[in-house]
Amino acid sequence: MFNTAFARNEEVVRPPAPWQDVPLTQWNDWRWQLSHRLNTVEDFARVIKLTPDEIAGLSAPEHFRVDVTPYFASLMDPDDPRCPVRLQIMPTAAELTPFIAEMEDSLSEDAHSPVPGLVHRYPDRVLMLVTTQCASYCRYCTRSRIVGDPSATFSRAAHDAQIAYIARTPQVRDVLLSGGDPLTIPQKVLEDLLRRLRAIPHVEIIRIGSRVPVFLPQRITPDLVEMLRQFHPLWMNVHFNHPKEITPEVSAALARLADAGIPLGCQSVLLAGVNDCPNIMMELVHKLVINRVRPYYLYQCDLVHGAGHFRTPVSTGIEIMEALRGHTSGYAVPTYVIDAPGGGGKIPVMPNYVISQSPDRVVVRNYEGYMSAYTQPETYTRHDPATCPACQRRAGVTDLQAGVSGLLSGQALSIKPEGFEATHQRDTKLELNSFTNGF
Ligand SMILES: *Cc1c(COP(=O)(O)O)cnc(C)c1O
């Protein structure tokens, strides 16, 4: 195993093989890491024992971009093609095969983009794609339709249009920077974007979604963190899938971010062969909370080209949630979500804990299968929106996406599927037709 000196937290005197002759100062320099990324059969053959399947994936002319930092490549098991680190970054023949139900833009992000690279799906928050470049490329990338193409990244003009949209849209209180990876753009450009977003009064929080702490922990320098902390409240979501990714270098990077007061979350993707196991997930979430990272979401794998062989049944995710909730700290339990195909957004999925209910009692069960009855109150003085200050303050906020919550609060009586009215007028139409057609 290459990285044992790092993993054992010993005094590190030289980089792992085959980089043992690279001076440590270079190895620890993120610029060196970025400019020495691996992407060809020859590059990888120096590090791992390539399988025919991996060679086929690397050699396919139309494959999704490959680029892996030497640091992350050093975490691969050279002899085991099932290594969870290796599976995430090494192309294989399987990713070239289309599967039933795959889509190019499975989350319909393009349809929800008022300006290029800005996805306004939810009422009060936007996803702002600032670049198409990453430190390394995940084979299951949900945005592989745009990510990785160096000739198609977002320009200064695109950033200007994105910020102008946010500035003229007062309901946006949360801006989520993503890409690509926002921590790969020049620090000055990122600082400028953050400063311009902070200057918009209605932007309450800014979030960065990044895998740089995982692929390139060397990039989390004191200087970068000092820059970021000027823009609080700033949150960050990182992306870990397996406990093996949390090395001493990564722990140091996460500690720097947390010490700067940046609350850290983790978004993981449920991947066959990588983390589709309750015990691996348990080890991952424990390692995350030790590093002050709150598991935030566990995603069902999207219906995206290249990711077919990573997909699991949804039942695998529910089984993992069953094994986590109650069995470990609530802080360590993420929300399992399906990002709904077609652009429905993230939908939480979990085991059922409410067994039954009457006006008198609710029967619930715990993680052990213990069932109990919670007695409902005999009398309840209902919350009165007419005297509630928060209800008064938000009365002017017209929520066009009130959904089921709107049904409960009486804003609407029904939600109808597309074509509902027309379908149920069929008799009338028939009569009309028979009348006008004369039979
Ligand atoms: C995930 C996502 C968000 C943020 O969702 P949260 O549940 O608030 O984390 C916002 N916009 C889009 C388009 C997203 O996909």
Side-chain angles (χ1 to χ4, degrees), residues 96-219:
L96 307 167
T97 320
F99 60 93
I100 295 171
E102 80 171 30
M103 296 185 263
E104 206 201 345
D105 176 11
S106 76
L107 311 178
S108 293
E109 292 187 330
D110 297 343
H112 287 100
S113 296
V115 296
L118 195 93
V119 189
H120 192 175
R121 171 68 191 76
Y122 297 101
D124 67 342
R125 53 208 187 279
V126 292
L127 179 68
M128 179 172 163
L129 308 179
V130 300
T131 176
T132 60
Q133 304 298 294
C134 289
S136 301
Y137 294 89
C138 309
R139 302 324 297 164
Y140 50 86
C141 178
T142 192
R143 244 168 250 133
S144 51
R145 70 185 187 282
I146 52 169
V147 162
D149 183 350
S151 69
T153 195
F154 295 99
S155 61
R156 164 101 200 175
H159 291 158
D160 291 348
Q162 294 170 337
I163 291 175
Y165 176 85
I166 294 167
R168 67 172 181 266
T169 313
Q171 62 267 38
V172 176
R173 42 162 290 285
D174 175 359
V175 177
L176 168 45
L177 300 188
S178 184
D181 197 313
L183 295 187
T184 63
I185 67 175
Q187 192 167 317
K188 283 270 168 303
V189 177
L190 181 59
E191 180 168 4
D192 179 60
L193 290 177
L194 291 169
R195 180 156 292 119
R196 289 157 76 197
L197 288 169
R198 252 296 147 253
I200 301 172
H202 55 263
V203 172
E204 294 175 359
I205 64 165
I206 302 173
R207 301 192 243 177
I208 294 177
S210 175
R211 215 179 179 194
V212 160
V214 187
F215 284 144
L216 187 62
Q218 299 79 5
R219 179 67 189 92

Side-chain angles (χ1 to χ4, degrees), residues 7 21-22 38 111 126 128 220 225 275 300 315 335 411:
D21 297 329
V22 175
L38 293 77
V126 292
M128 179 172 163
I220 310 301
V225 171
N275 59 13
Q300 175 65 15
S315 55
T335 303
Q411 286 180 42

Side-chain angles (χ1 to χ4, degrees), residues 210-268:
S210 175
R211 215 179 179 194
V212 160
V214 187
F215 284 144
L216 187 62
Q218 299 79 5
R219 179 67 189 92
I220 310 301
T221 59
D223 184 51
L224 176 73
V225 171
E226 280 309 303
M227 184 279 278
L228 293 174
R229 70 184 304 168
Q230 303 173 86
F231 301 104
H232 276 312
L234 178 76
W235 295 56
M236 190 177 293
N237 265 328
V238 286
H239 170 29
F240 292 97
N241 294 320
H242 192 279
K244 205 179 160 183
E245 296 165 331
I246 308 180
T247 62
E249 293 93 317
V250 165
S251 290
L254 295 172
R256 252 183 206 149
L257 293 165
D259 286 347
I262 300 172
L264 299 173
C266 176
Q267 313 198 129
S268 304

Side-chain angles (χ1 to χ4, degrees), residues 41-63:
V41 171
E42 297 71 47
D43 291 343
F44 287 106
R46 291 176 61 221
V47 184
I48 56 174
K49 207 163 146 279
L50 283 168
T51 64
D53 199 29
E54 288 167 330
I55 293 171
L58 281 167
S59 313
E62 73 280 28
H63 72 57

